Short mmCIF file of all heavy atoms in Angstrom, two decimals:
data_model
loop_
_atom_site.label_atom_id
_atom_site.label_comp_id
_atom_site.label_asym_id
_atom_site.label_seq_id
_atom_site.Cartn_x
_atom_site.Cartn_y
_atom_site.Cartn_z
N LEU P 1 108.10 117.99 107.28
CA LEU P 1 106.68 117.49 106.94
C LEU P 1 105.64 118.53 107.00
O LEU P 1 104.82 118.62 106.18
CB LEU P 1 106.47 116.16 107.67
CG LEU P 1 107.09 114.87 107.26
CD1 LEU P 1 106.85 113.77 108.27
CD2 LEU P 1 106.62 114.49 105.78
N ASN P 2 105.79 119.29 108.00
CA ASN P 2 104.74 120.24 108.36
C ASN P 2 104.81 121.33 107.26
O ASN P 2 103.79 121.75 106.75
CB ASN P 2 105.04 120.96 109.70
CG ASN P 2 103.98 122.02 109.89
OD1 ASN P 2 102.80 121.79 110.18
ND2 ASN P 2 104.51 123.31 110.10
N GLU P 3 106.04 121.63 106.79
CA GLU P 3 106.23 122.64 105.74
C GLU P 3 105.57 122.12 104.44
O GLU P 3 105.05 122.85 103.63
CB GLU P 3 107.62 123.01 105.63
CG GLU P 3 107.87 124.12 104.68
CD GLU P 3 109.34 124.56 104.47
OE1 GLU P 3 110.15 123.64 104.37
OE2 GLU P 3 109.63 125.80 104.47
N ALA P 4 105.93 120.69 104.16
CA ALA P 4 105.44 120.15 102.88
C ALA P 4 103.94 119.94 102.91
O ALA P 4 103.33 119.97 101.85
CB ALA P 4 106.17 118.77 102.73
N MET P 5 103.37 119.80 103.99
CA MET P 5 101.90 119.45 103.99
C MET P 5 101.01 120.67 104.25
O MET P 5 99.88 120.67 103.93
CB MET P 5 101.54 118.49 105.18
CG MET P 5 102.27 117.12 105.07
SD MET P 5 101.81 116.28 103.56
CE MET P 5 100.14 115.99 103.72
N ASN P 6 101.65 121.84 104.86
CA ASN P 6 100.88 122.99 104.95
C ASN P 6 101.55 124.07 104.11
O ASN P 6 102.30 124.95 104.64
CB ASN P 6 100.87 123.40 106.46
CG ASN P 6 100.14 122.40 107.18
OD1 ASN P 6 99.03 122.27 107.30
ND2 ASN P 6 100.98 121.53 108.01
N ILE P 7 101.38 124.05 102.84
CA ILE P 7 102.07 124.98 101.87
C ILE P 7 101.53 126.41 102.00
O ILE P 7 100.34 126.65 102.06
CB ILE P 7 101.79 124.51 100.38
CG1 ILE P 7 102.42 123.04 100.28
CG2 ILE P 7 102.48 125.29 99.43
CD1 ILE P 7 102.05 122.43 99.00
N LYS P 8 102.41 127.33 102.24
CA LYS P 8 102.18 128.75 102.36
C LYS P 8 101.92 129.34 101.13
O LYS P 8 102.39 128.97 100.04
CB LYS P 8 103.19 129.40 103.12
CG LYS P 8 103.45 128.93 104.60
CD LYS P 8 104.49 129.72 105.28
CE LYS P 8 104.70 129.17 106.68
NZ LYS P 8 105.88 129.99 107.40
N TYR P 9 101.13 130.54 101.15
CA TYR P 9 101.08 131.39 99.93
C TYR P 9 102.41 132.16 99.81
O TYR P 9 103.20 132.31 100.73
CB TYR P 9 99.95 132.36 100.12
CG TYR P 9 98.55 131.80 100.11
CD1 TYR P 9 97.82 131.61 101.18
CD2 TYR P 9 97.98 131.38 98.86
CE1 TYR P 9 96.58 131.05 101.13
CE2 TYR P 9 96.67 130.84 98.77
CZ TYR P 9 96.00 130.59 99.93
OH TYR P 9 94.80 130.08 99.91
N ILE P 10 102.64 132.68 98.62
CA ILE P 10 103.82 133.28 98.30
C ILE P 10 104.14 134.41 99.24
O ILE P 10 105.17 134.81 99.82
CB ILE P 10 103.87 133.81 96.90
CG1 ILE P 10 103.92 132.62 95.96
CG2 ILE P 10 104.99 134.68 96.56
CD1 ILE P 10 103.66 132.85 94.45
N GLU P 11 102.96 135.26 99.43
CA GLU P 11 102.99 136.47 100.27
C GLU P 11 103.41 136.03 101.73
O GLU P 11 104.15 136.78 102.50
CB GLU P 11 101.76 137.19 100.32
CG GLU P 11 101.43 137.93 98.98
CD GLU P 11 100.93 136.91 97.90
OE1 GLU P 11 100.63 135.80 98.21
OE2 GLU P 11 100.97 137.31 96.68
N GLU P 12 102.95 134.87 102.21
CA GLU P 12 103.29 134.43 103.55
C GLU P 12 104.71 134.05 103.72
O GLU P 12 105.40 134.48 104.73
CB GLU P 12 102.45 133.14 103.96
CG GLU P 12 100.93 133.33 104.03
CD GLU P 12 100.18 132.08 104.32
OE1 GLU P 12 100.08 131.33 103.51
OE2 GLU P 12 99.76 132.03 105.68
N VAL P 13 105.26 133.40 102.69
CA VAL P 13 106.70 133.16 102.66
C VAL P 13 107.46 134.34 102.77
O VAL P 13 108.52 134.52 103.45
CB VAL P 13 107.12 132.32 101.48
CG1 VAL P 13 108.61 132.04 101.45
CG2 VAL P 13 106.41 130.96 101.47
N ALA P 14 107.05 135.32 101.96
CA ALA P 14 107.83 136.64 101.74
C ALA P 14 107.81 137.46 103.28
O ALA P 14 108.88 137.98 103.60
CB ALA P 14 107.19 137.55 100.78
N ASP P 15 106.62 137.35 103.84
CA ASP P 15 106.63 138.05 105.22
C ASP P 15 107.33 137.25 106.22
O ASP P 15 108.05 137.89 107.08
CB ASP P 15 105.12 138.07 105.63
CG ASP P 15 104.28 139.04 104.78
OD1 ASP P 15 104.92 139.94 104.15
OD2 ASP P 15 103.00 138.83 104.76
N ASP P 16 107.39 135.94 106.08
CA ASP P 16 108.13 135.12 107.09
C ASP P 16 109.69 135.13 106.98
O ASP P 16 110.32 135.19 107.96
CB ASP P 16 107.62 133.62 107.09
CG ASP P 16 108.15 132.77 108.07
OD1 ASP P 16 108.34 133.28 109.24
OD2 ASP P 16 108.36 131.55 107.71
N ARG P 17 110.07 135.05 105.72
CA ARG P 17 111.56 134.96 105.31
C ARG P 17 112.19 136.10 104.95
O ARG P 17 113.44 136.26 105.08
CB ARG P 17 111.71 133.79 104.33
CG ARG P 17 111.09 132.45 104.61
CD ARG P 17 111.73 131.71 105.84
NE ARG P 17 111.06 130.40 106.13
CZ ARG P 17 111.47 129.25 105.55
NH1 ARG P 17 112.35 129.20 104.71
NH2 ARG P 17 110.76 128.21 105.86
N GLY P 18 111.41 137.13 104.44
CA GLY P 18 112.02 138.32 103.89
C GLY P 18 112.81 138.10 102.56
O GLY P 18 113.70 138.90 102.22
N TRP P 19 112.57 136.98 101.83
CA TRP P 19 113.21 136.72 100.48
C TRP P 19 112.57 137.62 99.42
O TRP P 19 111.47 138.19 99.54
CB TRP P 19 113.05 135.19 100.19
CG TRP P 19 113.72 134.37 101.14
CD1 TRP P 19 114.64 134.68 102.20
CD2 TRP P 19 113.46 132.91 101.31
NE1 TRP P 19 114.99 133.44 102.89
CE2 TRP P 19 114.23 132.46 102.44
CE3 TRP P 19 112.55 132.12 100.59
CZ2 TRP P 19 114.25 131.04 102.78
CZ3 TRP P 19 112.64 130.64 101.09
CH2 TRP P 19 113.46 130.25 102.03
N SER P 20 113.31 137.62 98.34
CA SER P 20 112.72 138.24 97.18
C SER P 20 111.53 137.47 96.68
O SER P 20 111.31 136.37 97.01
CB SER P 20 113.78 138.22 96.08
OG SER P 20 114.03 136.97 95.52
N ARG P 21 110.66 138.06 95.90
CA ARG P 21 109.43 137.45 95.40
C ARG P 21 109.85 136.34 94.47
O ARG P 21 109.19 135.15 94.46
CB ARG P 21 108.60 138.45 94.54
CG ARG P 21 107.36 137.71 93.94
CD ARG P 21 106.36 138.78 93.47
NE ARG P 21 105.21 138.05 92.78
CZ ARG P 21 104.17 137.69 93.44
NH1 ARG P 21 104.18 137.89 94.81
NH2 ARG P 21 103.26 137.03 92.84
N ARG P 22 110.91 136.43 93.54
CA ARG P 22 111.31 135.36 92.89
C ARG P 22 111.66 134.18 93.67
O ARG P 22 111.23 132.96 93.39
CB ARG P 22 112.63 135.67 92.21
CG ARG P 22 113.28 134.64 91.19
CD ARG P 22 114.66 134.96 90.85
NE ARG P 22 115.47 135.03 92.10
CZ ARG P 22 116.55 135.63 92.19
NH1 ARG P 22 117.11 136.28 91.09
NH2 ARG P 22 117.30 135.58 93.21
N ASP P 23 112.41 134.27 94.78
CA ASP P 23 112.81 133.24 95.60
C ASP P 23 111.66 132.56 96.33
O ASP P 23 111.52 131.42 96.49
CB ASP P 23 113.96 133.57 96.50
CG ASP P 23 115.33 133.89 95.86
OD1 ASP P 23 115.40 133.37 94.71
OD2 ASP P 23 116.15 134.57 96.42
N CYS P 24 110.73 133.26 96.67
CA CYS P 24 109.53 132.91 97.35
C CYS P 24 108.57 132.01 96.41
O CYS P 24 108.15 131.02 96.82
CB CYS P 24 108.63 134.03 97.86
SG CYS P 24 109.45 134.90 99.25
N VAL P 25 108.59 132.48 95.22
CA VAL P 25 107.78 131.66 94.14
C VAL P 25 108.41 130.32 93.98
O VAL P 25 107.79 129.34 93.94
CB VAL P 25 107.74 132.48 92.80
CG1 VAL P 25 107.12 131.58 91.78
CG2 VAL P 25 106.82 133.75 92.95
N LEU P 26 109.73 130.34 93.83
CA LEU P 26 110.52 129.21 93.55
C LEU P 26 110.36 128.23 94.78
O LEU P 26 110.31 126.94 94.48
CB LEU P 26 111.99 129.55 93.19
CG LEU P 26 112.25 130.21 92.06
CD1 LEU P 26 113.76 130.66 91.92
CD2 LEU P 26 111.85 129.43 90.80
N ARG P 27 110.31 128.76 95.94
CA ARG P 27 110.16 127.85 97.18
C ARG P 27 108.87 127.22 97.30
O ARG P 27 108.71 125.97 97.56
CB ARG P 27 110.52 128.74 98.36
CG ARG P 27 110.39 127.90 99.70
CD ARG P 27 111.35 126.74 99.70
NE ARG P 27 111.11 125.96 100.83
CZ ARG P 27 111.52 124.61 100.91
NH1 ARG P 27 112.02 124.09 99.72
NH2 ARG P 27 111.15 123.76 101.90
N VAL P 28 107.71 127.96 96.87
CA VAL P 28 106.41 127.42 96.95
C VAL P 28 106.41 126.34 95.80
O VAL P 28 105.80 125.17 96.25
CB VAL P 28 105.48 128.53 96.76
CG1 VAL P 28 104.03 127.87 96.64
CG2 VAL P 28 105.42 129.51 98.01
N LEU P 29 106.78 126.66 94.67
CA LEU P 29 106.75 125.57 93.64
C LEU P 29 107.58 124.25 94.07
O LEU P 29 107.02 123.19 93.81
CB LEU P 29 107.47 126.13 92.37
CG LEU P 29 106.66 127.02 91.52
CD1 LEU P 29 107.50 127.67 90.42
CD2 LEU P 29 105.40 126.38 90.88
N SER P 30 108.68 124.49 94.70
CA SER P 30 109.50 123.31 95.00
C SER P 30 108.67 122.38 96.07
O SER P 30 108.67 121.11 95.88
CB SER P 30 110.85 123.71 95.74
OG SER P 30 110.67 124.29 96.89
N VAL P 31 107.92 123.03 97.06
CA VAL P 31 107.32 122.16 98.01
C VAL P 31 106.09 121.48 97.29
O VAL P 31 105.75 120.29 97.58
CB VAL P 31 106.75 123.10 99.19
CG1 VAL P 31 105.95 122.24 100.03
CG2 VAL P 31 108.00 123.61 99.83
N LEU P 32 105.55 122.15 96.35
CA LEU P 32 104.36 121.52 95.61
C LEU P 32 104.78 120.36 94.86
O LEU P 32 103.91 119.46 94.59
CB LEU P 32 103.74 122.61 94.71
CG LEU P 32 102.84 123.74 95.26
CD1 LEU P 32 102.59 124.80 94.33
CD2 LEU P 32 101.61 123.18 95.82
N MET P 33 106.03 120.17 94.46
CA MET P 33 106.46 119.17 93.53
C MET P 33 107.26 118.06 94.48
O MET P 33 107.95 117.21 93.89
CB MET P 33 107.44 119.73 92.51
CG MET P 33 106.65 120.54 91.47
SD MET P 33 107.83 121.02 90.09
CE MET P 33 108.99 122.09 90.92
N CYS P 34 107.02 118.06 95.73
CA CYS P 34 107.64 116.99 96.61
C CYS P 34 106.71 116.66 97.64
O CYS P 34 106.20 117.55 98.49
CB CYS P 34 108.92 117.55 97.33
SG CYS P 34 109.80 116.40 98.29
N ASP P 35 106.17 115.30 97.73
CA ASP P 35 105.30 114.89 98.72
C ASP P 35 105.88 114.33 99.93
O ASP P 35 107.05 114.05 100.07
CB ASP P 35 104.29 113.93 98.12
CG ASP P 35 104.83 112.60 97.53
OD1 ASP P 35 105.90 112.22 98.10
OD2 ASP P 35 104.36 112.20 96.44
N ARG P 36 105.07 113.92 100.93
CA ARG P 36 105.59 113.53 102.16
C ARG P 36 106.27 112.20 102.14
O ARG P 36 107.10 111.83 102.89
CB ARG P 36 104.39 113.36 103.13
CG ARG P 36 103.38 112.35 102.88
CD ARG P 36 102.30 112.23 104.05
NE ARG P 36 103.02 111.84 105.25
CZ ARG P 36 102.74 112.59 106.47
NH1 ARG P 36 101.90 113.53 106.51
NH2 ARG P 36 103.37 112.25 107.51
N THR P 37 105.93 111.29 101.06
CA THR P 37 106.64 110.06 101.02
C THR P 37 108.05 110.18 100.75
O THR P 37 108.90 109.40 101.16
CB THR P 37 106.01 109.15 99.81
OG1 THR P 37 106.07 109.88 98.58
CG2 THR P 37 104.51 108.87 100.21
N THR P 38 108.50 111.26 100.03
CA THR P 38 109.86 111.56 99.76
C THR P 38 110.57 111.85 101.04
O THR P 38 111.68 111.40 101.40
CB THR P 38 110.04 112.65 98.68
OG1 THR P 38 109.57 112.31 97.37
CG2 THR P 38 111.54 112.99 98.65
N VAL P 39 109.98 112.79 101.81
CA VAL P 39 110.55 113.19 103.14
C VAL P 39 110.66 112.05 104.11
O VAL P 39 111.78 111.84 104.67
CB VAL P 39 109.60 114.31 103.78
CG1 VAL P 39 110.23 114.69 105.17
CG2 VAL P 39 109.57 115.56 102.75
N GLU P 40 109.61 111.20 104.09
CA GLU P 40 109.77 110.13 105.01
C GLU P 40 110.77 109.12 104.60
O GLU P 40 111.46 108.50 105.31
CB GLU P 40 108.37 109.38 105.11
CG GLU P 40 107.28 110.29 105.95
CD GLU P 40 105.93 109.78 105.81
OE1 GLU P 40 105.69 108.98 105.00
OE2 GLU P 40 105.10 110.14 106.60
N GLY P 41 110.88 108.91 103.30
CA GLY P 41 111.85 108.01 102.75
C GLY P 41 113.19 108.45 103.01
O GLY P 41 114.14 107.57 103.29
N ILE P 42 113.59 109.78 102.68
CA ILE P 42 114.87 110.25 102.96
C ILE P 42 115.41 109.91 104.37
O ILE P 42 116.58 109.52 104.56
CB ILE P 42 114.87 111.76 102.67
CG1 ILE P 42 114.73 111.99 101.22
CG2 ILE P 42 116.22 112.31 103.07
CD1 ILE P 42 115.84 111.68 100.27
N PHE P 43 114.54 110.12 105.40
CA PHE P 43 114.95 110.06 106.66
C PHE P 43 114.98 108.45 107.09
O PHE P 43 115.93 108.03 107.74
CB PHE P 43 113.99 110.68 107.68
CG PHE P 43 114.23 112.06 107.70
CD1 PHE P 43 113.50 113.16 106.96
CD2 PHE P 43 115.23 112.65 108.49
CE1 PHE P 43 113.70 114.44 107.04
CE2 PHE P 43 115.67 114.03 108.48
CZ PHE P 43 114.75 114.93 107.74
#
């Protein structure tokens, strides 16, 4: 939930995870398209 509600910039993800820029962009996009109700519902 914290990750979903506090979306990082692409550069922050890259610095934190060390992933390729492509994967960092895809990760940020994925979180933007999923809200907290989904996370809460899944659990």
Side-chain angles (χ1 to χ4, degrees):
L1 279 172
N2 179 67
E3 187 179 44
M5 298 303 294
N6 299 285
I7 300 171
K8 295 181 178 181
Y9 290 104
I10 294 169
E11 290 74 16
E12 290 180 292
V13 177
D15 291 340
D16 184 37
R17 306 290 179 89
W19 299 341
S20 69
R21 180 172 176 81
R22 177 199 63 198
D23 291 338
C24 291
V25 170
L26 293 173
R27 180 57 189 155
V28 171
L29 279 174
S30 69
V31 178
L32 285 168
M33 293 188 288
C34 180
D35 60 36
R36 68 174 301 135
T37 59
T38 296
V39 177
E40 292 172 340
I42 292 291
F43 283 99

